[in-house]
Amino acid sequence: MPEAPPPGQPPRIETFQSRSQPRGARWDLQPLWSWPQAEGGQGQALADPWGALHRPDWHSRGLLIWPRGGQWRRLRLELACPEPWRQLQVPARVAQARLVLRWWADTAELRVDGQVVHGGDLFDTACRWVLPQRWWQGEALLIELRLRSPLHDDGALIESRLELEPLDPADPAGLLAETKAELAQLRAGQPLRGGFHLLGHAHLDLAWLWPVADTWLAAERTFSAALDLIERFGELHFAHSTPALYSWLEQYRPELFTRLRRAVAAGRFEPINGPWVESDCVLISSASLLRQFQLGQHYSTTTFAELEHALAWLPDSFGFAAGLPAVARSTGVRWFCTHKLFWNATNPFPHRLFRWRSRCGAELLALMTAPIGTDGDPLAMERYRLAWQGATGVDGTLWLPGVGDHGGGPTAEMLEQRRLWQQQDEAAPQRHGSLRAYLAELEPLARRLPVWRDELYLELHRGCATSRPDQKRHNRTLERLLREADLAQALAGSGPPVAWETLLFQQFHDILPGTSIPEVFDQAEPQWRAARRRACFLRDRALQAWLGPCRGWWVAQLQPLAARARTLRLPAGRWSHAGLELPAQAAPGGGQWLQLPALAGVDALELELEPELKLESRAGSPAGVTAPVWVEGWRCGNGLVSFELGPQGLEQLWDGTGQPQLGAPLAWRRYADRGEFWDAWDIAADYREQPLEWDWQGEPTWLERGPLCTSFLWRGCCGASRLRLEGRLLANTPWLELVLSVDWRQRHELLRLEVPLAQPADRWAADTSGGVLERPAQPVTARERARWEVAAISWIASVPADGGLAVLLDGPQGVSASPSQLGVSLLRAPTWPDPGADNGRQRLRLALMPCRPGWGRAGVPQQAVTFREPLWLRPAAVQARPAPRPALPCLGEGLLLLGCRPSGATATMVLTVQNCSPCRRRLELGPNWRLMQRLDGLEKPLPLDQLPGGDPCLLLPWSIGFWRLSVVPQSSWSSKGSVRPFDGGPKA
């Protein structure tokens, strides 16, 4: 999208008359172009009334404009050398002329006398083509510029001009005088202080408006071109991110990778990595964010061992979770670099160089970099340098020349322009160098930098948590399966490596948010499925090996949760455990509901199944069921939570003490959602002013009623989309589950659930990547008001003076909160870049859970895990008497398991735990486990002086801990005692 001139900079183009003749060493060509007219023939392009009518802001800046939708425009211009300029060639040449173009079009083709001399697109948006010598000798050139408008936006020729450049850097003809005067004017009499640190760069999205297959070709072109330029320009340094790209090159383009490695060894090519890909950083679980950094850092440190890898390069992700500093720091990262917060639509981000601190105290040095995808324009560089110095007081300014988004990198034209200006005293000095060298110069400033203690919220792109829910569903399912496969292999003590690379790749910041073309998602679908099948196979095989034989079926809990009798749906038959038949209730859709004995921690129960011809409910009296469900008229409850139905649906919800939770009936809402430029990325800011009808068909009806499960059904429609809402309350379950099934056929609409609160909230909380987010319910500052939609991973909860209500999500989802309600965005329907995004059959699942002691003491994070992650049920591979096996106990209040993987050593594993509470917690695993070492995120032993309080088992508030542990030999098992002392590494 063409950007407006910087504040205070007047438009360069004033009137047609003043711009039609050369001025000094420049000649503005905008008024001279012609293109076909609607009535036939050729006419002046700038006089076309369409642009003034539909894009007056662009027209006032002198842009040539035409409609969106992939429409072509063929611009023509016959260009002869002005007589005054021809004198610059007599008696000897002192200048060359460049045709400078900049466009906003998805395809660009420059032809001169019928020959193609340059091409570009939405990302390669400019050129500086040198005019041939024959033009200077009086031969006119026929210039044709063919441009196709983007599908999502109007097209524009932003600027076109001729520029004269001196062949002698001393500039005897004064061709650079005008630009030098503008540089002096920008500095407003201030002395020239500091200079530029130049680093070539090429931002390459792994997918966006092109499929992934095209990315590999773009990477090959980009790296080859950069290496060619490194050989041609001795001063050039080039940097690129993304270990996934390097790994692909290493495997499939070994010759190019060998050449790249030589440039790295010479200090001219710099890997600037961090995570495995430039991932989304607010929609992925804490475990996934950690694996992004672990795999990325492991690849970087092993492949490029000669370099220190202490930076995370994430220039384009759509916001950054508050827990990222803790995750990144645990893997050896000290510096965080981004540019994206310059995109804030409401409040400019206040810092360019700062310390970013998470709630646990982990801290990164953070740099807001120069824009990506820039060139060598001396005026643009000087404006940025002055802004940087004014904001930071630092003299040295980083500049990143290079075509970006679809790769590309610096061009010879850019580097030639920089060489010319490097020799002009009026321009700031410049030097080429590595990013690591630049950051090393900034590091001594750390102690006096401001501290940011919050997420880095992007005040834009708030729809990314809701668009393309199928990608979010694939992501959360594969996250769970990979974690379970790791855990199962750790418990079994063996197995092939569990590959996370497919998941981590699909978490790229334009794939998981749903902001790519449909081909990207079509090609991702078989990869998601294959990765799920592989993870299921590895998990199931390892669990069978860990559990061993039994005389029936195994049911296992694969999270170290507190003991609770679970109710779940199983195939028909007589199920029993330890000779006792389990309570059962027939399910109307087939199968039956059963209540299992309580499972504590990661453990399993042996179940026996006897088929029976006729299924009967055998729940017996409610006294035989833990917290049975009761129904009285339109009210239903189980002692932990209760609700009431009515003509308006779910009209009230109570906690176990009878305190009401809803201030009004539960509200399902539908809004118009259109008008935003970044369609799939952004929710319309005024959507609440555009409500649409939602029609329910009659009143809810009971679907089934019994002591193990009671459910209701309500049907309705939104426009052409049919809906089915099923509510379900299970025995001994502290939440009411809601499942909305939709055949979604709308366009540019937003579907939301809004939960009116009976108790006004003072604050609200939600889980985020790497931690927990807490906010005041009533925004006070402009920055708080701008955060009207945020991403939550699996839950959001209100925090009133007493009590609270949580919404458990099968997310991630976009959520909102105010003193009077919680909101969840369920579905959208953008049409660009994917015309059919969100359409089709969707199943949306969430739950309402009262949390009277507060979200922390009520264990909302643990309950969200229980809600999202089903028990594992399989018949035993070998039918025999079960053998004893180790079980991972419940971790305790406030602690969540992020991962448990084999560590590579025989019979040892690495355990990763997150403290999701404001209190210190100790890891207690009981006498059957030996804690061997406290580790960092790269599985290296922590020195004694880095142990919190000198205690290897202590977890500080909101922190993440890593341990190497092993199973105590079976002969030493005990049911009493506490965690064994460390047998290696630093002692407490």
Side-chain angles (χ1 to χ4, degrees):
M1 178 175 61
E3 298 181 358
Q9 179 189 354
R12 178 173 292 175
I13 303 168
E14 290 83 17
T15 66
F16 291 176
Q17 183 65 32
S18 67
R19 293 154 45 197
S20 61
Q21 297 296 325
R23 187 181 65 182
R26 297 177 186 166
W27 186 5
D28 189 355
L29 303 179
Q30 291 285 92
L32 304 182
W33 294 100
S34 65
W35 64 24
Q37 301 296 301
E39 62 275 7
Q42 294 283 119
Q44 187 184 42
L46 199 55
D48 191 315
W50 191 91
L53 179 63
H54 296 279
R55 301 302 294 262
D57 54 334
W58 289 10
H59 179 76
S60 67
R61 292 162 46 199
L63 278 62
L64 306 184
I65 317 158
W66 70 101
R68 68 188 64 197
Q71 298 191 38
W72 284 93
R73 283 295 183 270
R74 179 181 295 183
L75 290 83
R76 295 168 60 91
L77 169 64
E78 187 170 320
L79 192 62
C81 181
E83 186 60 32
W85 284 13
R86 293 183 65 185
Q87 301 305 313
L88 296 172
Q89 305 296 84
V90 178
R93 294 180 60 203
V94 298
Q96 66 179 4
R98 288 187 182 270
L99 176 59
V100 180
L101 300 173
R102 191 156 60 95
W103 54 80
W104 180 240
D106 71 1
T107 303
E109 184 181 83
L110 175 63
R111 292 173 176 257
V112 178
D113 294 337
Q115 299 296 315
V116 176
V117 298
H118 191 88
D121 50 31
L122 274 175
F123 319 104
D124 188 357
T125 61
C127 79
R128 293 175 57 83
W129 182 71
V130 178
L131 272 67
Q133 184 62 26
R134 69 178 189 273
W135 178 78
W136 288 98
Q137 297 169 354
E139 183 180 334
L141 302 178
L142 179 60
I143 310 293
E144 285 186 284
L145 185 59
R146 301 180 183 183
L147 302 171
R148 187 175 68 181
S149 63
L151 294 175
H152 67 292
D153 197 15
D154 302 323
L157 178 59
I158 302 170
E159 65 177 339
S160 57
R161 67 180 185 272
L162 288 186
E163 275 190 7
L164 298 184
E165 284 184 349
L167 296 176
D168 181 354
D171 191 18
L175 301 179
L176 303 179
E178 185 176 353
T179 303
K180 291 177 180 179
E182 293 181 58
L183 291 172
Q185 184 179 5
L186 286 174
R187 288 194 284 270
Q190 300 178 16
L192 181 56
R193 177 172 57 88
F196 288 100
H197 186 102
L198 299 183
L199 177 63
H201 176 254
H203 179 60
L204 176 55
D205 286 326
L206 298 182
W208 182 26
L209 303 182
W210 54 89
V212 172
D214 190 51
T215 300
W216 307 128
L217 301 178
E220 185 177 5
R221 290 193 304 267
T222 297
F223 290 150
S224 295
L227 292 170
D228 290 343
L229 286 174
I230 284 174
E231 295 174 359
R232 178 177 168 187
F233 293 86
E235 70 274 20
L236 175 62
H237 286 66
F238 180 81
H240 204 281
S241 66
T242 311
L245 284 179
Y246 290 109
S247 177
W248 183 87
L249 285 173
E250 185 178 15
Q251 183 174 0
Y252 295 106
R253 299 294 184 271
E255 293 182 0
L256 177 59
F257 189 75
T258 299
R259 189 178 168 205
L260 184 152
R261 287 288 290 113
R262 287 198 296 266
V264 171
R268 304 285 301 287
F269 195 116
E270 185 181 18
I272 48 174
N273 293 334
W276 183 247
V277 301
E278 292 180 12
S279 66
D280 183 275
C281 294
V282 294
L283 301 178
I284 62 178
S285 69
S286 299
S288 282
L289 185 63
L290 179 61
R291 294 298 282 155
Q292 283 282 357
F293 277 90
Q294 286 177 327
L295 264 69
Q297 288 289 84
H298 180 265
Y299 181 86
S300 298
T301 54
T302 54
T303 306
F304 305 107
E306 66 270 35
L307 297 176
E308 182 188 20
H309 298 276
L311 65 95
W313 184 263
L314 290 161
D316 200 34
S317 299
F318 310 144
F320 306 94
L324 191 149
V327 171
R329 190 71 192 211
S330 73
T331 60
V333 171
R334 294 195 313 274
W335 276 96
F336 168 81
C337 304
T338 189
H339 172 74
K340 200 64 178 184
L341 295 190
F342 280 119
W343 284 50
N344 275 6
T346 309
N347 303 289
F349 189 73
H351 307 303
R352 298 192 183 210
L353 185 61
F354 59 100
R355 289 146 58 194
W356 184 19
R357 185 178 298 167
S358 67
R359 299 183 77 176
C360 67
E363 191 173 276
L364 297 175
L365 295 171
L367 171 68
M368 293 284 288
T369 72
I372 54 178
T374 56
D375 55 23
D377 177 16
L379 295 174
M381 293 176 64
E382 184 64 12
R383 291 188 197 99
Y384 179 78
R385 187 185 70 84
L386 293 172
W388 164 264
Q389 289 186 354
T392 65
V394 177
D395 291 344
T397 305
L398 180 67
W399 187 254
L400 302 167
V403 176
D405 281 338
H406 199 200
T411 65
E413 296 168 347
M414 295 179 191
L415 298 173
E416 289 165 355
Q417 187 180 27
R418 286 293 85 224
R419 274 186 172 178
L420 173 63
W421 281 98
Q422 189 172 7
Q423 301 175 72
Q424 309 305 314
D425 293 338
E426 293 80 1
Q430 54 184 279
R431 64 176 181 180
H432 292 256
S434 70
L435 179 61
R436 286 167 173 81
Y438 179 74
L439 297 179
E441 294 176 357
L442 298 179
E443 200 143 353
L445 306 175
R447 294 180 62 86
R448 63 181 179 89
L449 295 179
V451 177
W452 187 262
R453 299 177 178 88
D454 201 353
E455 65 176 320
L456 296 178
Y457 180 87
L458 178 63
E459 296 178 7
L460 196 70
H461 296 354
R462 299 176 181 89
C464 291
T466 308
S467 295
R468 290 295 309 219
D470 60 321
Q471 299 304 301
K472 280 75 170 176
R473 180 172 59 252
H474 286 316
N475 178 74
R476 64 179 176 259
T477 301
L478 189 52
E479 282 180 329
R480 173 178 61 82
L481 292 175
L482 291 172
R483 184 195 55 76
E484 290 177 348
D486 274 337
L487 172 66
Q489 293 197 352
L491 294 172
S494 64
V498 177
W500 284 67
E501 285 82 358
T502 296
L503 171 70
L504 303 185
F505 191 95
Q506 302 298 339
Q507 290 173 342
F508 178 72
H509 67 259
D510 269 314
I511 301 179
L512 181 59
T515 53
S516 290
I517 59 174
E519 290 85 347
V520 172
F521 307 117
D522 293 342
Q523 294 172 13
E525 189 69 24
Q527 296 185 44
W528 285 117
R529 294 178 180 178
R532 285 203 305 268
R533 286 194 297 269
R534 177 64 176 168
C536 283
F537 171 77
L538 294 176
R539 177 200 61 182
D540 293 353
R541 186 172 67 175
L543 285 176
Q544 293 283 10
W546 170 57
L547 294 171
C550 82
R551 291 166 293 189
W553 291 57
W554 284 115
V555 59
Q557 178 171 272
L558 301 179
Q559 281 279 3
L561 301 169
R564 181 169 69 85
R566 299 273 292 272
T567 302
L568 72 160
R569 191 168 174 171
L570 293 179
R574 292 182 177 273
W575 292 85
S576 61
H577 169 66
L580 298 177
E581 187 174 345
L582 300 178
Q585 174 187 321
Q592 60 188 332
W593 297 100
L594 286 95
Q595 188 172 74
L596 303 178
L599 276 166
V602 176
D603 206 349
L605 293 173
E606 179 189 5
L607 300 181
E608 296 180 6
L609 171 62
E610 297 180 12
E612 60 180 359
L613 297 179
K614 183 178 179 181
L615 181 63
E616 299 176 356
S617 293
R618 298 180 305 281
S621 68
V625 177
T626 304
V629 181
W630 52 264
V631 180
E632 296 178 358
W634 289 105
R635 293 188 65 174
C636 175
N638 64 4
L640 303 175
V641 61
S642 58
F643 66 92
E644 183 174 36
L645 299 177
Q648 299 181 68
L650 181 63
E651 296 189 347
Q652 190 51 271
L653 184 79
W654 292 270
D655 66 12
T657 68
Q659 185 174 24
Q661 302 296 307
L662 300 182
L666 198 67
W668 303 87
R669 301 293 189 210
R670 172 185 169 217
Y671 300 96
D673 176 25
R674 64 170 62 248
E676 297 301 306
F677 175 81
W678 297 100
D679 192 10
W681 293 257
D682 290 335
I683 294 176
D686 62 347
Y687 75 86
R688 292 188 179 278
E689 300 170 12
Q690 305 176 65
L692 300 172
E693 289 187 2
W694 182 309
D695 298 320
W696 290 109
Q697 299 172 1
E699 300 180 2
T701 58
W702 292 118
L703 187 62
E704 59 182 320
R705 285 181 280 187
L708 292 180
C709 176
T710 294
S711 62
F712 65 87
L713 179 64
W714 203 13
R715 299 183 185 273
C717 62
C718 291
S721 304
R722 296 187 178 278
L723 309 105
R724 181 184 189 274
L725 174 65
E726 182 176 346
R728 181 182 300 136
L729 182 62
L730 301 177
N732 200 38
T733 301
W735 62 73
L736 171 64
E737 181 179 352
L738 301 171
V739 179
L740 183 68
S741 301
V742 189
D743 184 8
W744 189 237
R745 302 183 180 183
Q746 309 307 114
R747 291 288 191 275
H748 290 117
E749 292 187 8
L750 175 65
L751 203 64
R752 281 178 57 85
L753 169 65
E754 295 176 352
V755 184
L757 299 173
Q759 305 166 68
D762 299 323
R763 298 178 64 79
W764 61 271
D767 68 336
T768 185
S769 301
V772 175
L773 201 61
E774 290 189 286
R775 293 275 178 270
Q778 181 62 55
V780 177
T781 67
R783 203 169 297 279
E784 289 172 349
R785 288 191 292 272
R787 299 177 182 183
W788 46 266
E789 182 92 356
V790 302
I793 305 296
S794 64
W795 60 271
I796 179 174
S798 66
V799 186
D802 180 34
L805 178 64
V807 182
L808 309 183
L809 307 170
D810 199 17
Q813 302 279 167
V815 299
S816 62
S818 71
S820 60
Q821 74 172 26
L822 301 176
V824 181
S825 295
L826 301 173
L827 283 174
R828 301 185 64 228
T831 57
W832 183 80
D834 181 356
D838 297 12
N839 279 187
R841 297 188 181 277
Q842 306 286 357
R843 184 177 184 270
L844 305 157
R845 181 170 171 262
L846 44 85
L848 304 178
M849 175 184 163
C851 45
R852 183 172 179 79
W855 67 264
R857 295 189 60 190
V860 169
Q862 291 79 8
Q863 297 291 356
V865 170
T866 306
F867 173 70
R868 288 161 61 99
E869 302 196 4
L871 298 177
W872 180 84
L873 178 74
R874 295 288 189 279
V878 178
Q879 299 290 313
R881 182 180 298 277
R885 68 193 176 281
L888 197 63
C890 172
L891 293 180
E893 184 179 354
L895 300 183
L896 282 181
L897 176 69
L898 295 189
C900 184
R901 299 183 292 114
S903 70
T906 305
T908 65
M909 60 190 76
V910 173
L911 181 72
T912 306
V913 176
Q914 183 177 23
N915 183 2
C916 292
S917 78
C919 303
R920 294 186 173 203
R921 307 288 186 192
R922 294 191 82 254
L923 182 68
E924 301 283 353
L925 296 182
N928 300 333
W929 296 89
R930 177 180 294 116
L931 297 181
M932 303 172 65
Q933 288 176 313
R934 184 74 177 262
L935 309 172
D936 64 12
L938 296 179
E939 301 183 13
K940 298 177 182 178
L942 271 185
L944 182 62
D945 60 357
Q946 294 184 25
L947 294 176
D951 183 351
C953 298
L954 184 66
L955 268 174
L956 297 178
W958 313 112
S959 65
I960 299 174
F962 308 85
W963 292 266
R964 179 171 285 111
L965 65 152
S966 64
V967 180
V968 173
Q970 182 178 334
S971 59
S972 304
W973 285 7
S974 169
S975 60
K976 298 181 180 180
S978 59
V979 65
R980 289 174 174 261
F982 277 46
D983 292 335
K987 299 294 191 293

